[in-house]
Amino acid sequence: MDKLQTKKEIELAKAELEKALKKIDADEVTAEADLEKMAESAKALLDINGIC
Amino acid sequence: MAFADRKSLAAHRYKFSKFLISLDGSSVGKPGFIFLYSTRTGRLAKVPSSLGDALLQSFVDEQRFEELSSLIDKGIIVPISQNEIVALAEENQLLENNRKALRFVFQPSGFCQMECGYCGQDHVNEKSHRNVIRDSVSFLDRMIGSRNIELLELGFFGAEAMTGFPEIQLFCDLLKPTLSKYSCRVMSKLVTNGLSVTPSRIAFLKGNAGLASVEVTLDGPPGIHEQSRPMRGGKNESFVRILRNTEMLSRTGGVLTVIRINVSSANVGHISKLLKILANSEIDRNQATVYFAPVHSWGNDAHKSALDPDTFAELDVGWRAMLLNLGWDVGQLPKRRVATCIATTDDGWVVDHSGGVFDCTEKPLVGSYSDHRKGSISDLASGVPLRADRSFRQFGPDLPTSSMCGQCFALPVCGGRCPKEWAEGRIPCPSFKLQAENYLRLAFAAKSFGEKM
């Protein structure tokens, strides 16, 4: 395992998260946000679904 | 749960659900509010930061029924007397009973062109015999008819399922009259290494097996992917071929392409490079998604090269954010999980290429699980019951009393995740549990991105 490379990947992931979250448009953030549809969509966060 | 009238609403006292993710509104540009997301309903409410138990009770006293109804509908609050864990289990059972569906995973071949390091299977150059296929269909015919099944959920799995494509064709051809006779719908998922998928094969599966999704694995950029998933016989340039096939798959209308990336200490430092390649490829993002899976024990020690769960979860959410920044929303919130998996239900079977019946896709072709075989498809087709009980039938009913799952906000979307992992002494909690607030923030970010993508 290249520990330095892993550390860099972790730092990169953190930076990407911060970058994404900065783009949240407060006006889009409502209780009626279509998050419900996100949870029902075909792209809903995938995990184990019968074939592992 | 529904309350018909204000009198009923006023008759109860309420408490906040235990299945909530709570997000401070100031972290998403809405100070003074808290966002409460219910994993039980998948719904969201925005409430004042000051809303606690006492204020909740005041809603009843002040007859703020519309607000109460909304919070109840969304699963944010429940009657104080409700045992939510029991209620969740009852809901799941009802939903399962009402589904009228069967799950059947068919392994048409024991062979795979690859020798992935973490794979626990002992591949053999054998295909499913005609009798195994006939018996499988005969069994399904009896089950669909006797249980009034309306939906057959098929899985085509391996080894490498596409090395048994003629066998899949025969299976589908023999199954067709059964589906027609009982007006039973069919929906299928193909899991493949991506080497041998062609437009004509996918078209066949769409037309004859209701293909809805195809899962392909890529473990890194060129070179890294091949180190993780080498091909037999020394040929080792599979990345480009698999990527091109994945692009083709994603452009197939009506089929979701799912790219799985297995993560271990060996490839973790290269995943971001892979994501950039995928984002810059010809993959149709509207019909494709990506998820990250930690390597796990497959009857072997593969899990020993997995990252620790907290690190994996931190990377998982960061990689999702990276894809979002590259304009690709791969989905941030999980679906409600009614049944954990095939092994925890009475209506799912896995049949390997030799006709052996299992209740878990992790078991076929794995030497250390050979005694986990539940019987043969020829016996099942003849009405002879399986020789052993399902390994984890009690897993679901036991969850409420489990010290970890029974108290966990993620239970409605996780379902305990993998009974085999728990049984073998490992804790399989998903990344969603460990980074829930960030997943929710990313969902808001994805919505903000929405129109711009």
Side-chain angles (χ1 to χ4, degrees):
Chain A
M1 172 172 75
D2 184 333
K3 287 188 179 175
L4 181 60
Q5 204 150 16
T6 304
K7 194 176 168 197
K8 278 184 183 169
E9 191 77 10
I10 293 170
E11 292 307 318
L12 174 66
K14 282 183 185 171
E16 292 288 341
L17 179 62
E18 277 182 39
K19 183 177 166 187
L21 297 185
K22 275 186 185 146
K23 293 185 180 175
I24 292 176
D25 180 345
D27 288 338
E28 294 282 349
V29 176
T30 67
E32 288 73 44
D34 290 331
L35 299 197
E36 294 125 39
K37 289 186 186 166
M38 280 190 187
E40 290 166 17
S41 80
K43 282 196 189 180
L45 197 71
L46 292 172
D47 203 353
I48 293 172
N49 57 355
I51 297 180
C52 305
Chain B
M1 156 215 345
F3 291 95
D5 52 42
R6 293 179 168 198
K7 193 174 168 188
S8 302
L9 279 173
H12 289 77
R13 289 173 57 85
Y14 300 92
K15 61 183 177 184
F16 285 97
S17 167
K18 65 186 341 168
F19 299 130
L20 295 180
I21 301 169
S22 171
L23 185 64
D24 186 340
S26 58
S27 71
V28 291
K30 294 286 186 187
F33 293 99
I34 293 176
F35 287 89
L36 297 172
Y37 179 81
S38 166
T39 58
R40 185 174 168 184
T41 63
R43 300 188 67 183
L44 181 78
K46 183 178 83 172
V47 301
S49 301
S50 55
L51 185 66
D53 290 338
L55 190 60
L56 191 58
Q57 184 51 39
S58 75
F59 275 25
V60 179
D61 298 336
E62 293 166 20
Q63 300 189 13
R64 292 164 72 169
F65 294 122
E66 274 187 30
E67 281 147 304
L68 272 180
S69 285
S70 173
L71 291 175
I72 292 168
D73 272 349
K74 294 182 176 187
I76 304 298
I77 64 174
V78 297
I80 209 161
S81 57
Q82 187 184 87
N83 181 326
E84 277 196 278
I85 302 283
V86 169
L88 182 75
E90 287 171 356
E91 275 171 18
N92 284 345
Q93 191 60 56
L94 190 63
L95 287 166
E96 266 295 278
N97 291 346
N98 288 344
R99 275 180 85 241
K100 296 242 170 256
L102 286 186
R103 301 172 177 96
F104 191 86
V105 180
F106 175 54
Q107 186 189 68
S109 165
F111 183 71
C112 181
Q113 311 100 313
M114 288 180 149
E115 297 180 295
C116 304
Y118 42 67
C119 182
Q121 293 181 332
D122 298 317
H123 296 134
V124 290
N125 195 0
E126 293 170 7
K127 308 294 170 60
S128 207
H129 193 275
R130 192 177 188 91
N131 288 342
V132 168
I133 299 170
R134 264 209 206 99
D135 286 339
S136 297
V137 173
S138 175
F139 169 68
L140 285 172
D141 186 281
R142 189 160 56 77
M143 296 307 291
I144 291 171
S146 64
R147 293 191 185 184
N148 297 316
I149 298 300
E150 296 173 0
L151 172 65
L152 176 61
E153 293 179 351
L154 286 177
F156 298 113
F157 191 61
E160 168 51 42
M162 288 283 97
T163 64
F165 187 71
E167 286 69 26
I168 291 177
Q169 284 178 301
L170 177 60
F171 176 87
C172 291
D173 287 343
L174 291 178
L175 184 63
K176 213 178 277 188
T178 290
L179 298 174
S180 175
K181 181 168 64 172
Y182 295 115
S183 300
C184 179
R185 289 176 294 121
V186 65
M187 190 168 77
S188 64
K189 172 177 175 174
L190 168 68
V191 177
T192 174
N193 59 29
L195 284 169
S196 308
V197 286
T198 65
S200 62
R201 287 181 168 188
I202 297 303
F204 175 86
L205 288 170
K206 271 189 74 178
N208 294 275
L211 187 68
S213 69
V214 179
E215 182 169 303
V216 180
T217 299
L218 281 166
D219 279 357
I224 301 299
H225 166 81
E226 286 86 350
Q227 276 177 31
S228 179
R229 295 172 67 79
M231 287 181 66
R232 288 180 195 279
K235 300 175 192 176
N236 229 6
E237 290 178 355
S238 61
F239 179 90
V240 173
R241 185 166 149 197
I242 295 171
L243 180 62
R244 295 289 167 259
N245 285 342
T246 303
E247 289 169 342
M248 177 275 292
L249 284 167
S250 74
R251 294 194 295 269
T252 305
V255 176
L256 179 69
T257 298
V258 179
I259 301 164
R260 172 175 171 140
I261 302 174
N262 293 307
V263 181
S264 72
S265 55
N267 68 347
V268 61
H270 304 277
I271 302 300
S272 55
K273 287 192 205 96
L274 170 62
L275 298 184
K276 285 176 189 161
I277 293 172
L278 294 177
N280 288 324
S281 73
E282 297 297 318
I283 290 172
D284 182 344
R285 297 164 179 190
N286 291 323
Q287 298 196 105
T289 188
V290 176
Y291 79 103
F292 308 94
V295 290
H296 62 275
S297 171
W298 197 342
N300 55 20
D301 287 341
H303 59 294
K304 291 186 177 174
S305 64
L307 305 179
D308 70 270
D310 287 315
T311 301
F312 178 81
E314 200 170 7
L315 284 162
D316 187 311
V317 80
W319 286 327
R320 292 174 175 283
M322 181 177 184
L323 285 166
L324 197 59
N325 289 330
L326 290 168
W328 190 355
D329 177 12
V330 295
Q332 318 302 340
L333 296 173
K335 286 186 183 184
R336 170 81 176 260
R337 183 174 293 282
V338 172
T340 309
C341 66
I342 282 181
T344 64
T345 69
D346 286 325
D347 61 4
W349 297 265
V350 179
V351 177
D352 76 7
H353 75 285
S354 70
V357 176
F358 296 82
D359 59 7
C360 172
T361 54
E362 295 282 286
K363 308 271 176 90
L365 291 170
V366 180
S368 55
Y369 293 136
S370 56
D371 59 344
H372 288 228
R373 193 172 181 267
K374 299 298 181 189
S376 74
I377 193 62
S378 61
D379 281 349
L380 281 188
S382 308
V384 175
L386 293 176
R387 287 193 288 276
D389 288 338
R390 287 181 178 270
S391 315
F392 301 113
R393 188 61 186 93
Q394 268 306 111
F395 182 77
D398 285 347
L399 279 175
T401 53
S402 119
S403 58
M404 283 190 71
C405 296
Q407 302 306 316
C408 182
F409 73 91
L411 183 59
V413 296
C414 165
R417 193 147 186 261
C418 179
K420 175 177 153 291
E421 287 291 285
W422 286 107
E424 294 178 4
R426 293 179 293 273
I427 298 174
C429 294
S431 297
F432 180 75
K433 175 191 164 105
L434 303 174
Q435 287 279 337
E437 289 181 20
N438 275 331
Y439 277 107
L440 190 50
R441 288 194 187 97
L442 268 188
F444 281 123
K447 184 167 189 326
S448 295
F449 274 63
E451 297 299 320
K452 302 172 192 116
M453 282 202 253

